[in-house]
Amino acid sequence: NIGVLKSSAVVEAFGEVDRALFVDDRSNDAAKGRFTYSEPYSNSPLKIGHTGATMSTPHHHAVIAEIIADVLRPGDKVLDLGCGSGYLAAIFSKLVCSSGMGAEQGKVVAVECVPELLKLTESNLKKAGCENGVVLLDAYSSSRNNSDKLNDAIFVDKFKAIHVSFAMEKQELEKQFLDNIVPGGRIVAPIRDETGNQPQKEQILTIYQKDIKTHKISSREVMRVLCQPMIKEMISDQPKQTVNERIAELQDILKTWTEGFKASNNGKHPTREDIFNDETAKNLFTEFSKLRQRKW
C-alpha cells in the first residue's frame, strides 16, 4: 500500500485477492527466463496472454477500487466492462458479496468481448475463490447480425457502480450507460480528450455521479491514464512487430510506469536507480535501449 488504498474495505479486498493469480506469467518475462516473484506486484502493466490485452498497474487498480468503493455497500450491483483477466471483478466481489447475506447478496457483472479472456476470467476467479456473485457476459451477443452492438443482457440491470476499463468517447459513454446507474451511483471511465490538449493515446479518467435526490449527472476528472480501446476480436495470426512498433509499445509502457511511479512518490521523476530497482521496469528499459541501439 503506497497511500492510494485508504478505506478499510478496499485494503481488506486487496489483501484477500492475490494479483499473481490473474497474470499469465508465460506471456511476460517468464517466457524469457526472467520472471521474478515480485513482478505481478510491480507497478507496471502486464500482458495477460492474449493479443493486445494487458493488465493495468496496481496503482491504477487501487485508484479505481477506491473510487468505486466510495459508493458501494454489501448487496449492491457492479458492472465491470472489459474485465480482462478478472482481477478487478474479484476485488469488486469482495466489496459487495458477503457470505450469509441471503437475498441481499450483491452481484458483479463482468463483461468481456474476447471469448478467450472470458474463459481466463472464469478460471482465475475460481482459483482465487471469488466466483460466487460474479456473472460473466460476452460483450456481443452471438445471435446478432450487428456484431458491433453491445449485448442487451448488459442493460437488464441497473448498477450502483460501473467501471469501464477501455478508452471511450464521451458521447458514447453518456449515450449508453448513464441510464444504467441508480441514484447515488457512479461510473468511472477513461474518456478520450476532445480538446486535443493531451498526448496521443492518453485519456482522462473521469467520474460520472448521479445525484441521489435530483438524479442529475455531474462529472469530474481524476487523472490522465493510458488505456487501450476495446478489443473487438482476437487476432490469432497477428503479424510480427517491427522494431519501430516494439519501440513505440515499450515507450508507452514505460510512460505508464513512470506516471505510476510519480503518483506514488509525490511527483518525483524516477532516476535510473529507481528504474533498475524495479525488476519489470529494468527489463523493459533494457530491451528499449537495446532496440534503440539496434535501430541506429
Side-chain angles (χ1 to χ4, degrees):
N1 183 5
I2 54 176
V4 179
L5 300 180
K6 299 175 182 177
S7 63
S8 58
V10 176
V11 171
E12 186 176 342
F14 270 74
E16 292 179 354
V17 180
D18 188 352
R19 179 177 164 89
L21 296 176
F22 295 83
V23 175
D24 185 350
D25 56 14
R26 294 169 302 173
S27 66
N28 294 286
D29 283 339
K32 304 171 186 177
R34 295 200 300 263
F35 184 76
T36 65
Y37 175 80
S38 64
E39 187 169 357
Y41 313 104
S42 64
N43 199 36
S44 305
L46 294 171
K47 294 180 180 179
I48 52 176
H50 296 279
T51 302
T54 57
M55 185 182 194
S56 296
T57 66
H59 175 268
H60 183 88
H61 281 156
V63 170
I64 296 296
E66 285 289 353
I67 290 171
I68 293 291
D70 191 42
V71 298
L72 289 182
R73 298 293 181 271
D76 284 336
K77 297 175 183 177
V78 182
L79 177 62
D80 185 21
L81 283 165
C83 63
S85 63
Y87 180 66
L88 274 182
I91 295 292
F92 297 151
S93 75
K94 293 292 183 181
L95 298 175
V96 299
C97 303
S98 298
S99 58
M101 292 188 63
E104 296 300 316
Q105 182 81 340
K107 181 170 75 172
V108 178
V109 177
V111 179
E112 181 54 60
C113 64
V114 179
E116 289 81 359
L117 289 179
L118 209 57
K119 291 178 182 177
L120 179 64
T121 291
E122 182 178 21
S123 173
N124 291 343
L125 289 172
K126 288 180 179 178
K127 286 189 293 183
C130 299
E131 68 272 26
N132 292 333
V134 180
V135 177
L136 302 178
L137 278 181
D138 191 331
Y140 301 105
S141 172
S142 59
S143 63
R144 291 187 180 279
N145 293 325
N146 182 2
S147 62
D148 285 339
K149 188 173 182 181
L150 287 172
N151 191 336
D152 280 339
I154 297 170
F155 305 103
V156 170
D157 277 322
K158 289 189 180 292
F159 301 90
K160 191 62 173 295
I162 297 176
H163 165 242
V164 182
S165 69
F166 48 87
M168 288 193 78
E169 302 289 346
K170 179 181 178 181
Q171 297 90 337
E172 181 185 4
L173 181 137
E174 293 179 352
K175 179 181 177 181
Q176 296 199 76
F177 300 114
L178 290 186
D179 288 340
N180 280 86
I181 50 173
V182 299
R186 66 176 43 164
I187 300 173
V188 58
I191 300 298
R192 293 191 179 98
D193 187 20
E194 297 177 331
T195 65
N197 292 331
Q198 68 186 111
Q200 189 178 14
K201 296 184 180 181
E202 283 193 2
Q203 305 87 35
I204 301 175
L205 190 67
T206 305
I207 299 173
Y208 292 84
Q209 182 79 35
K210 180 176 282 189
D211 188 271
I212 196 167
K213 293 181 179 179
T214 66
H215 299 187
K216 288 184 178 180
I217 300 292
S218 61
S219 65
R220 63 182 175 91
E221 298 175 353
V222 181
M223 63 182 185
R224 289 188 175 185
V225 293
L226 187 64
C227 297
Q228 298 170 319
M230 180 180 253
I231 306 169
K232 293 194 174 178
E233 59 182 23
M234 278 278 294
I235 304 174
S236 57
D237 55 347
Q238 187 183 34
K240 186 176 179 180
Q241 275 185 315
T242 65
V243 172
N244 285 340
E245 287 171 341
R246 179 57 178 165
I247 287 174
E249 181 182 42
L250 289 169
Q251 283 178 316
D252 283 343
I253 297 172
L254 286 167
K255 183 176 181 181
T256 301
W257 180 89
T258 299
E259 291 304 314
F261 180 93
K262 289 167 67 178
S264 307
N265 292 274
N266 299 317
K268 176 193 171 187
H269 195 85
T271 63
R272 185 181 181 86
E273 182 180 1
D274 292 325
I275 293 172
F276 277 76
N277 282 337
D278 184 295
E279 190 69 23
T280 300
K282 181 180 75 172
N283 290 334
L284 291 168
F285 182 79
T286 300
E287 182 183 358
F288 174 77
S289 299
K290 287 180 179 178
L291 287 175
R292 284 293 296 267
Q293 291 174 3
R294 175 177 156 191
K295 178 181 176 182
W296 301 111

